[in-house]
Structure formats: structure tokens, C-alpha cells
Amino acid sequence: MAKYYIKTFGCQANKAESQRQQTYFESRGLRLAPNWQQASEIFINTCSVRKAADDRVYALLNQMQDYYHSIPRAQWPHVVISGCMNRYADRLKKRFPVVSEVLTSDDTNFQYPATRPADDPQAFIQISVGCNSYCTYCVVPYARGPERSRDFDTIIGEVEQAVREGHHEITLLGQNVNSWGLEKVQTARRKQIFGSLSQLPANADQYQTFTGTSPFVQLLRAVSHIDGVDKIRFLTSNPWDFHDDLIAEVISNKKIDRYLHLPVQSGSDTVLARMNRGYTAATYERLVTKLRAGDPSIQIGTDIIVGFCGETEAEFAQTLAFVKKMHFIVAFVAMYSPRPGTVSAKIYRDDVPFAVKKRRFEILDKIINRDQLASRPKIV
Ligand code: SF4
């Protein structure tokens, strides 16, 4: 019997996509191979968020290319590459002849439902793909294309199906999850500031005063009204799109997990401007203050990039002071590495030496993930 193998790198969205791919393989009668050497169809779902992520994929492809070197080509498996490394399609096929196909962002396949582990209470439901935010360091808008929201009824149908299968904790996924349904508005306002990266837009705060109920809040309410849904999480939120109605919903809707992941990336306004994040440190702080004032049990985790292009000691000191003040429960700290094709790789210099990035990484990691954690009262 023909066998398949799936290797997934990176984020939860990739994992959800791989679960749908598994259903596709199974629907064609293939069975899971214990390793890639025994598979006739291989699906590699890639991540390109940092150079180290690229390197892990290259290492696997090198291994595969070596392995098949002495095997007649007619016996090679069908190897499909998906995910954020799709923008290297030509290079990958040239360097690794074992690669048969590279899927584009248009190939995102929602027609197959996900195959989820039966004993996992969680179901990851992708509600959008792509991103219109164009943070200068990020490959997603190029690799995954512009933001496309899946339609309301399809999402609700998938949640209901997941509940019927015994998954009572729902995680809604999107590269910029809380802008679901707003891509047209978002494109217009991003265009307004894009190209002016030397300073934050004068109107950086206006997006915190969104009027009306945002589509994402309406979706959260609908999901929480489904019988059998016990807990709702959502990943990943851009603080820029975290409007007051979402704050109110998180505070009042106790099915929403009290842990929120809210990437800040830097505590320095000048760095945030170069990153095109569209908010200031003060805006971010106000957002978190409102959340905590509404429910003190809310815990915030974050992502931070150290050593972004031109990051001075003074700018890093601002980030340091900021994280001390914010009491994050956890932070995924990363050292900046330029990603080919992104705006930061094109217009800035990666001029912070590796040793400096490493020192800044260690300082933040120690403060947030060890010292603060140890001294923080346990919240139940
Ligand atoms: S919001 Fe920024 S960091 Fe997140 S996926 Fe979009 S461009 Fe990348």
C-alpha cells in the first residue's frame, strides 16, 4: 500500500494545513509511513520566519537528496514543498532535484477537513491566510499573499464539526487573526502609511478607536455560542487591530482563554516605526492596561525581536525598560535575521553585530522568561 509522510515546520497555521493535507492523503487510500524513507508521497510544510528556520528545511532536503542519490530517479517519491519557503521555488527545485512541486499561496487547500488527533481537546481552525500588514521584517505578505478571510459560515461549520468530533477547545488562526473580515479596510489604511518608514504615522493611535463591532468580535461571539465549545483561543493578534470592542469581548466572554499572545516586537518607538508596526509603545501599554483593568487574571505573552536594523543601545534600553514595566508571562525573543525579499532586507542594513544581538537576546530572555517568571505570583 502506498504511504505518505508529512513534515511540518513553524507555526500553528502550518500544523492546521498539514492536518488537512493528511485528510487528502488518507482520502486517496494512502497510509502514514513511519519515516520519509518509506513514503512515496512526501509533504514538507516550511517556515521561513528566520534564517534558522530555512536552514532546518535545507538540512532535511540535503539528507533526502543524499539518500536518493544512488536510487534510480523513477523510484523517487513525489515531494511537495508548501509554506513560506515557496518564494524560493526555482532555487529549491534547482538545488534539490528530489523536489517535485512547490505550492504557491494560491494553492491553500481548504476543501479537505483536518485530521485531528482524537485525544487532543484542541482544534486549530484557520480563519484567514496571508497578511496585509507589511511589517518590514516579515516574509508572510510575500510568501502567503494578501490577506484572505474565509467566510463566516464555513468557519462556523468547521467549528461545529470539530466539536462533534470531541474537540472542545477552539483556536482560531490567522497570520493577523484579529483583522479577520477587514482586509479591504486594512489594505487602504496600510497603504496610507506604507512608504513613510522613518517615523510612525501621526495617526498611529486612530486604529484603536474603531467604531462599531468588528467582524472578528462577531465571529468570536458566534463561536462561543456553539454548544460544546468550552474554550476559545486566537493567534496571532497584531496590537494595531486590537480594538476596544475586542478588549471588551475578551474581558466579558469567559470562554476566551485568559492567556493572550500579543507580539510587541520592540519597546522603542523608533524601532517600531522602522518595523512598520503602526503603533507606539504607549499605545501597546494602554491596550494591555485596559485588558488588565477589566480582568486582572489576564496574562500577556509576547514576541520581541532584538538587533533589528540600526537598533542602538538607547533603543534597546527602551525595550528593556518597557518589558520590566509590562510583566509579560512569557516572551519569544528572536535575534533579527534579514529575510530575502522583505522591505527591511532591501532598505536597511543588518548592522547590529551578532555578539550584540546575542547579548541583548540573553538579557531579555533572562528578565522575562526566568527572573520575572520566578518572582510572579501564580495566577489560577
Ligand atoms: S502582522 Fe506583520 S509580522 Fe504578522 S504576519 Fe503580518 S506582516 Fe508578518
Side-chain angles (χ1 to χ4, degrees):
M1 181 182 286
K3 293 199 172 75
Y4 69 91
Y5 187 81
I6 297 175
K7 179 69 188 170
T8 307
F9 295 90
C11 63
Q12 294 298 348
N14 274 12
K15 288 178 193 154
E17 188 186 344
S18 292
Q19 290 178 339
R20 293 194 299 275
Q21 184 68 24
Q22 183 172 353
T23 309
Y24 166 70
F25 283 137
E26 301 265 348
S27 73
R28 291 176 39 229
L30 280 77
R31 289 293 164 260
L32 182 63
N35 51 49
W36 56 260
Q37 289 88 343
Q38 292 180 45
S40 57
E41 299 203 27
I42 299 172
F43 183 80
I44 304 174
N45 208 343
T46 62
C47 171
S48 194
V49 67
R50 278 179 274 287
K51 185 176 173 299
D54 283 0
D55 291 344
R56 279 193 283 275
V57 176
Y58 288 135
L60 173 63
L61 289 173
N62 269 322
Q63 254 184 310
M64 291 174 71
Q65 197 59 56
D66 286 350
Y67 180 82
Y68 287 109
H69 182 68
S70 52
I71 294 175
R73 208 175 174 122
Q75 291 169 29
W76 287 6
H78 187 78
V79 178
V80 175
I81 304 284
S82 177
C84 283
M85 283 178 77
N86 61 8
R87 56 215 175 95
Y88 307 141
D90 292 344
R91 209 183 313 164
L92 285 170
K93 283 198 249 180
K94 202 165 160 197
R95 181 167 158 195
F96 303 102
V98 72
V99 171
S100 325
E101 201 182 337
V102 180
L103 302 183
T104 70
S105 62
D106 293 336
D107 297 321
T108 305
N109 186 353
F110 285 110
Q111 82 196 75
Y112 292 94
T115 300
R116 303 185 174 95
D119 58 351
D120 188 347
Q122 288 201 74
F124 293 96
I125 312 267
Q126 211 167 338
I127 65 169
S128 62
V129 282
C131 185
N132 291 345
S133 291
Y134 290 97
C135 302
T136 54
Y137 52 81
C138 182
V139 297
V140 165
Y142 312 99
R144 300 293 185 159
E147 191 168 327
R148 286 98 71 206
S149 299
R150 294 179 74 201
D151 79 80
F152 180 89
D153 290 342
T154 312
I155 295 168
I156 295 299
E158 195 175 333
V159 174
E160 288 171 341
Q161 178 63 25
V163 170
R164 280 196 292 276
E165 289 166 3
H167 309 284
H168 299 283
E169 300 183 8
I170 303 298
T171 301
L172 304 176
L173 297 175
Q175 259 95 23
N176 190 10
V177 71
N178 47 335
S179 67
W180 177 81
L182 279 174
E183 52 257 48
K184 289 196 176 66
V185 181
Q186 197 194 42
T187 303
R189 69 195 193 201
R190 278 288 176 183
K191 274 191 181 148
Q192 195 181 332
I193 66 158
F194 198 55
S196 161
L197 297 172
S198 56
Q199 55 182 43
L200 275 171
N203 55 359
D205 287 351
Q206 81 178 60
Y207 306 111
Q208 299 300 319
T209 55
F210 184 86
T211 52
T213 304
S214 63
F216 183 62
V217 168
Q218 294 173 37
L219 182 67
L220 277 177
R221 285 181 191 158
V223 171
S224 67
H225 287 144
I226 295 172
D227 274 348
V229 171
D230 298 336
K231 192 167 283 266
I232 305 171
R233 302 181 179 91
F234 50 91
L235 284 172
T236 296
S237 304
N238 187 328
W240 191 9
D241 289 295
F242 215 110
H243 308 293
D244 281 348
D245 62 345
L246 180 53
I247 295 173
E249 186 64 20
V250 168
I251 290 167
S252 65
N253 185 343
K254 301 301 181 197
K255 282 192 178 179
I256 298 175
D257 196 14
R258 297 298 92 183
Y259 172 81
L260 295 174
H261 196 74
L262 206 51
V264 67
Q265 305 300 6
S266 173
S268 156
D269 287 351
T270 41
V271 174
L272 287 170
R274 291 200 294 281
M275 291 176 166
N276 195 29
R277 289 291 286 178
Y279 54 84
T280 60
T283 311
Y284 183 98
E285 186 180 351
R286 267 203 302 281
L287 162 56
V288 171
T289 303
K290 281 184 195 172
L291 284 163
R292 286 176 173 156
D295 182 346
S297 73
I298 287 176
Q299 299 175 323
I300 308 289
T302 199
D303 297 338
I304 299 173
I305 297 172
V306 292
F308 187 68
C309 309
E311 186 187 64
T312 62
E313 283 300 333
E315 287 171 332
F316 177 67
Q318 288 167 351
T319 296
L320 199 53
F322 188 73
V323 303
K324 284 180 180 166
K325 184 162 65 165
M326 295 306 297
H327 297 286
F328 295 115
I329 189 85
V330 68
F332 297 94
V333 185
M335 291 183 278
Y336 172 73
S337 61
R339 310 285 54 231
T342 57
V343 173
S344 66
K346 283 182 192 155
I347 68 170
Y348 300 132
R349 280 198 316 127
D350 177 25
D351 54 359
V352 179
F354 180 76
V356 175
K357 286 179 183 169
K358 193 151 184 293
R359 176 173 52 79
R360 291 177 186 172
F361 169 90
E362 279 161 5
I363 291 170
L364 284 191
D365 189 51
K366 182 171 182 310
I367 285 180
I368 305 169
N369 296 327
R370 286 178 268 164
D371 297 353
Q372 284 193 180
L373 192 59
S375 63
R376 193 174 298 125
K378 194 163 168 32
I379 299 170
V380 286

